[in-house]
Amino acid sequence: MITGSVLLSSTVCDREAWLIAHQIEPDQFNPFIEIGRLIHTESYKNNQIREISLPGMKIDMIYEQGQMVIVGEIKKSSKFLKGARLQLLYYLNEIKKRQVQAVGKILIPKEKKQITVVLDEQSIDELNQAIKNAEKIISLPRPPQRKKSSFCSKCGYEEFCWS
Amino acid sequence: MAEPIYIFSDGILRRKENTIVLETSEGKRHIPVENVAEIKIFSEVDLNKRLLEFLTEKNISVHFFNHFGYYIGSYYPREFLNSGLVILKQAENYLNEKKRLFLAKMFVEGALLNIINNLKNYNENYRFSDKIRIIKEHVDKLTMCYDVEQLMALEGNAREVYYNCFDEIIKSNDFTFNSRTKRPPENELNALISFGNSLLYTTVLSEIYKTHLDPRIGYLHSTNNRRFTLNLDIAEIFKPIIVDRLIFTLINRRQIKTSDFHQISGGISMKENAKKLFVQSFEERLKDTIQHKQLKRQVSYRSLIRMEIYKIEKHILEDQEYEPYIG
Ligand code: SF4
């Protein structure tokens, strides 16, 4: 099943996308995953902002600003912006299907950065292209071959892939 | 880092807010739940459902042992990692005889190759060369086995050759092996092996819990009459590396002596202090590290066990063919 995190990971590593799509979750004891969790829970603790879960989506925060609905996605660093953008576009599109217009924001607390993401015609094309690509990967009968890259050492699947 | 908790004194184990409290005649001990990886209980302990609920929430399993130090059973909380695909593939590899036999063979091969390496470590003046050759012949014959029973028999024979070397490996004359007796172990050495193996079985079980595999589906040990079998399969590979080497060291360094055992009704048992020492050395051994070729960093034996389970997961996903760890 295509989800936000499958799309996100498909920009980094096909194998990771396949594993996530088949519910083979990464190592829960990996320190980097632990850090990610902490950033999520600590950074925006005091704002009264909701975290919501919908099928295929785990939205970090959703809130109203004036007339606008804002969907916020918190990231550790601006390293994976492309994936984060796709993930947000996916959420915005899913929300639109439910008749809500929203604008996305990638929030990087550590770098004090906010990047706005808008769902326009061009980005919808981009999203559809990415979904097609991800669907192709996850329909493979077995995981795509592991490939050593600089991501591996910070990836939750490192011990799985390289054991 | 979370650590396994061992309990040797009688008492009550309960939940108090976010800690586990052990109440004994000596007082109360608070254990923050974040520090607990698994619990192994050797004494008489009362516990209630509220505690089990808490342990489930925190994904902590509990293993129980009787007075001899034999494994009785486990509280294995509801799985928290679930992949339908992995379970289907795991069952498929059991039901398909060829696939099952492949994995079973790999476990036996891994066990025997690690046994050979143990003997090589103690092969002064080539005293074990003949035995090593015989066990190698058994390894070669594995490919000819056409069912699991034959594999088991072959392994049993090779293991006997191995056990025959124990009396020579062990320097102390007080310990003699004679033959392998399990239930009950009839002498001190057998009691040590049984105790060490039980510790290993539960350790592997706790590691399986952190993966997507179901410990009820094993390949070498049949799934019929035992609840957990995959841990027994994987333990085969690590027994020579972890348990046997530990026993040789503890006896040869005279850290464990025959006076550390006593006869109790129905068999021979380790005294509490010896159990504690064994457990401590066992945990230290699991923390020992080796350089991992693929990961290019140091990994502990405990992670090595978990990675062995990942390798099986990858095998059943037809990602990479399984090869046992040889240490
Ligand atoms: S460890 Fe490397 S190959 Fe494996 S999923 Fe992660 S990035 Fe991909």
Side-chain angles (χ1 to χ4, degrees):
Chain A
M1 187 177 80
I2 295 288
T3 65
S5 37
V6 171
L7 278 179
L8 170 72
S9 54
S10 70
T11 63
V12 180
C13 170
D14 287 358
R15 184 176 167 89
E16 189 183 344
W18 192 97
L19 291 169
I20 292 179
H22 290 84
Q23 280 95 48
I24 300 170
E25 298 87 345
D27 186 352
Q28 300 300 307
F29 304 87
N30 181 303
F32 294 102
I33 292 179
E34 212 49 53
I35 292 169
R37 222 179 267 149
L38 272 179
I39 290 185
H40 272 166
T41 46
E42 294 303 318
S43 307
Y44 291 87
K45 205 162 57 181
N46 299 324
N47 299 6
Q48 292 200 323
I49 290 166
R50 285 164 301 153
E51 188 186 273
I52 59 165
S53 285
L54 292 165
M57 298 188 275
K58 207 166 168 280
I59 295 176
D60 287 342
M61 49 205 299
I62 186 160
Y63 56 95
E64 285 180 302
Q65 204 168 58
Q67 299 291 356
M68 269 199 301
V69 177
I70 313 273
V71 175
E73 180 64 26
I74 306 163
K75 289 289 169 224
K76 254 184 286 187
S77 74
S78 38
K79 216 168 144 196
F80 301 111
L81 274 187
K82 186 171 176 236
R85 215 176 91 81
L86 271 180
Q87 191 182 6
L88 258 184
L89 288 175
Y90 175 76
Y91 293 165
L92 295 176
N93 200 39
E94 288 298 306
I95 291 173
K96 199 174 124 194
K97 286 185 195 160
R98 295 167 171 84
Q99 322 299 337
V100 179
Q101 291 278 0
V103 170
K105 268 191 183 152
I106 303 172
L107 308 163
I108 309 161
K110 251 170 66 186
E111 300 170 13
K112 295 200 165 52
K113 253 197 218 163
Q114 291 201 2
I115 297 156
T116 306
V117 176
V118 199
L119 190 72
D120 53 22
E121 224 162 281
Q122 197 192 337
S123 51
I124 289 177
D125 281 350
E126 196 184 326
L127 175 67
N128 287 335
Q129 195 52 46
I131 291 178
K132 248 205 213 138
N133 174 48
E135 272 169 348
K136 214 165 72 201
I137 298 168
I138 67 178
S139 65
L140 296 170
R142 49 181 89 140
Q145 284 287 301
R146 58 185 188 182
K147 258 191 247 134
K148 206 38 138 205
S149 78
S150 57
F151 303 124
C152 293
S153 64
K154 287 198 175 147
C155 174
Y157 291 104
E158 191 200 18
E159 292 196 344
F160 178 84
C161 289
W162 301 101
S163 57
Chain B
M1 251 308 263
E3 302 263 350
I5 302 289
Y6 286 85
I7 297 176
F8 287 101
S9 30
D10 297 349
I12 304 169
L13 202 60
R14 61 169 111 244
R15 168 183 189 171
K16 186 150 189 271
E17 278 139 35
N18 264 330
T19 59
I20 297 167
V21 182
L22 176 65
E23 275 179 50
T24 63
S25 54
E26 282 137 46
K28 280 187 192 173
R29 183 176 150 212
H30 288 257
I31 313 160
V33 74
E34 290 72 30
N35 302 347
V36 183
E38 58 184 304
I39 302 176
K40 297 189 186 182
I41 300 180
F42 292 84
S43 50
E44 288 304 321
V45 166
D46 288 339
L47 41 83
N48 61 19
K49 179 166 142 262
R50 207 165 94 85
L51 178 80
L52 294 180
E53 271 169 0
F54 187 44
L55 295 173
T56 303
E57 192 187 305
K58 301 291 178 189
N59 305 320
I60 297 169
S61 34
V62 190
H63 309 292
F64 299 93
F65 300 81
N66 72 5
H67 274 304
F68 290 103
Y70 308 156
Y71 175 62
I72 304 172
S74 298
Y75 175 69
Y76 195 77
R78 155 171 57 71
E79 309 271 351
F80 68 107
L81 294 174
N82 263 313
S83 164
L85 179 71
V86 171
I87 294 295
L88 280 177
K89 292 276 188 183
Q90 200 188 341
E92 183 201 328
N93 273 264
Y94 178 80
L95 294 170
N96 179 316
E97 254 170 72
K98 237 175 98 188
K99 290 184 176 177
R100 179 178 172 198
L101 200 59
F102 174 85
L103 280 171
K105 224 173 249 180
M106 284 299 144
F107 296 134
V108 176
E109 188 177 310
L112 296 186
L113 292 178
N114 283 325
I115 280 175
I116 290 175
N117 279 352
N118 268 5
L119 290 180
K120 281 185 180 163
N121 279 339
Y122 290 92
N123 197 18
E124 296 121 38
N125 303 321
Y126 307 104
R127 54 179 173 167
F128 296 137
S129 294
D130 273 351
K131 304 272 168 75
I132 292 173
R133 189 181 43 76
I134 297 172
I135 299 178
K136 269 198 187 129
E137 283 167 13
H138 281 76
V139 175
D140 295 336
K141 277 190 221 150
L142 288 177
T143 43
M144 294 189 294
C145 293
Y146 50 81
D147 63 25
V148 173
E149 282 65 43
Q150 283 189 323
L151 275 178
M152 286 275 218
L154 208 60
E155 190 201 10
N157 289 340
R159 220 170 246 288
E160 216 167 288
V161 178
Y162 172 55
Y163 284 137
N164 278 332
C165 307
F166 271 40
D167 284 339
E168 277 185 75
I169 295 176
I170 288 162
K171 286 184 207 133
S172 161
N173 291 328
D174 300 343
F175 287 92
T176 49
F177 187 71
N178 297 322
S179 63
R180 178 82 178 108
T181 51
K182 287 183 188 165
R183 261 161 253 215
E186 281 160 15
N187 62 32
E188 292 82 0
L189 199 47
N190 274 301
L192 276 175
I193 296 172
S194 294
F195 187 69
N197 287 349
S198 306
L199 287 180
L200 184 61
Y201 294 146
T202 52
T203 301
V204 178
L205 186 56
S206 295
E207 291 304 312
I208 293 177
Y209 186 63
K210 299 174 189 168
T211 74
H212 301 82
L213 290 176
D214 189 320
R216 291 169 297 184
I217 307 176
Y219 299 94
L220 176 62
H221 292 85
S222 80
T223 298
N224 301 337
N225 30 29
R226 280 209 186 89
R227 202 154 119 69
F228 301 120
T229 49
L230 185 61
N231 57 327
L232 307 185
D233 286 2
I234 297 164
E236 290 297 326
I237 295 164
F238 291 96
K239 271 187 210 168
I241 302 175
I242 295 175
V243 179
D244 298 349
R245 286 189 200 169
L246 186 65
I247 292 173
F248 300 152
T249 314
L250 288 174
I251 296 181
N252 286 346
R253 288 195 189 142
R254 307 208 182 281
Q255 285 173 282
I256 285 191
K257 300 179 228 51
T258 41
S259 57
D260 288 319
F261 297 81
H262 53 180
Q263 197 80 34
I264 59 175
S265 67
I268 199 145
S269 169
M270 289 162 85
K271 290 182 186 165
E272 190 177 312
N273 275 344
K275 276 186 201 156
K276 281 184 179 164
L277 174 81
F278 193 105
V279 156
Q280 200 187 344
S281 319
F282 177 81
E283 285 299 328
E284 277 163 20
R285 178 81 182 138
L286 288 179
K287 279 189 203 144
D288 276 350
T289 58
I290 57 148
Q291 177 72 17
H292 193 281
K293 273 197 208 107
Q294 293 278 9
L295 289 168
K296 295 193 174 65
R297 59 175 160 86
Q298 295 282 317
V299 298
S300 67
Y301 277 96
R302 188 184 277 276
S303 333
L304 217 53
I305 294 176
R306 186 162 72 246
M307 289 197 268
E308 201 65 16
I309 304 164
Y310 289 151
K311 278 158 64 181
I312 295 162
E313 206 169 316
K314 287 192 285 187
H315 175 86
I316 63 162
L317 288 171
E318 289 164 70
D319 178 36
Q320 268 173 288
E321 189 162 280
Y322 176 64
E323 270 176 45
Y325 172 76
I326 309 298

